């Protein structure tokens, strides 16, 4: 568990490491400083909050987004939000160094979120 990380919505660890691979649990668009605050409005704001939460967890294990090898993204409104997500996603990474990615539409996410993202990172 990462002390500065978001409050988990279920019983799990923020991240687990095995042989240099770090598996980061899916993060929600909640504010770590105010877990009961309303979620940000819209897919862009929620995605930014999720990525910020992922950064906090990665930093807690001494890594950053540059160490991410794979991302899985879950969207509750896939057809509506996929294009906006795709426009925003590259802004989080160095040009030409995007991680592998899978994006799927789901019927619902915890806390009524529009987006959840989990990651796999590799320790250098």
């Amino acid at each position: 568990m990462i002390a500065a990380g978001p409050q988990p919505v279920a019983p799990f660890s923020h991240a687990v490491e095995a042989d240099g691979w770090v598996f980061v649990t899916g993060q929600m668009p909640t504010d770590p400083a105010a877990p009961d605050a309303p979620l940000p409005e819209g897919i862009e704001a929620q995605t930014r909050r999720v990525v910020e939460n992922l950064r906090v967890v990665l930093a807690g294990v001494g890594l950053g987004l540059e160490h991410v090898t794979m991302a899985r993204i879950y969207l509750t409104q896939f057809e509506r939000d996929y294009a906006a997500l795709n426009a925003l996603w590259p802004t989080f990474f160095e040009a030409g160094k995007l991680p592998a990615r899978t994006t799927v539409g789901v019927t619902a996410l915890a806390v009524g979120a529009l987006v959840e993202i989990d990651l796999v990172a590799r320790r250098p």
Side-chain angles (χ1 to χ4, degrees):
M1 296 302 294
I2 307 304
Q7 180 178 349
V9 298
F12 52 73
S13 298
H14 283 126
V16 173
E17 185 168 355
D19 296 325
W21 292 99
V22 179
F23 302 88
V24 179
T25 296
Q27 295 298 305
M28 309 308 294
T30 54
D31 183 342
D36 295 325
L39 298 181
E41 291 290 325
I43 190 63
E44 292 92 349
Q46 286 198 19
T47 301
R48 283 186 188 94
R49 167 50 65 194
V50 168
V51 171
E52 184 56 36
N53 290 345
L54 291 164
R55 283 183 173 131
V56 168
V57 173
L58 286 167
V61 296
L63 299 173
L65 289 176
E66 68 275 14
H67 300 105
V68 173
T69 60
M70 175 68 183
R72 283 180 294 257
I73 304 173
Y74 309 90
L75 298 173
T76 59
Q77 301 291 322
F78 189 91
E79 290 184 15
R80 182 191 73 191
D81 293 339
Y82 188 64
L85 171 79
N86 283 336
L88 185 59
W89 186 249
T91 68
F92 302 118
F93 300 94
E94 185 179 335
K97 294 193 177 187
L98 295 172
R101 188 185 104 184
T102 299
T103 306
V104 296
V106 296
T107 59
L109 292 168
V111 301
L114 299 174
V115 60
E116 178 176 352
I117 303 172
D118 66 59
L119 302 175
V120 177
R122 179 80 169 143
R123 190 169 297 284

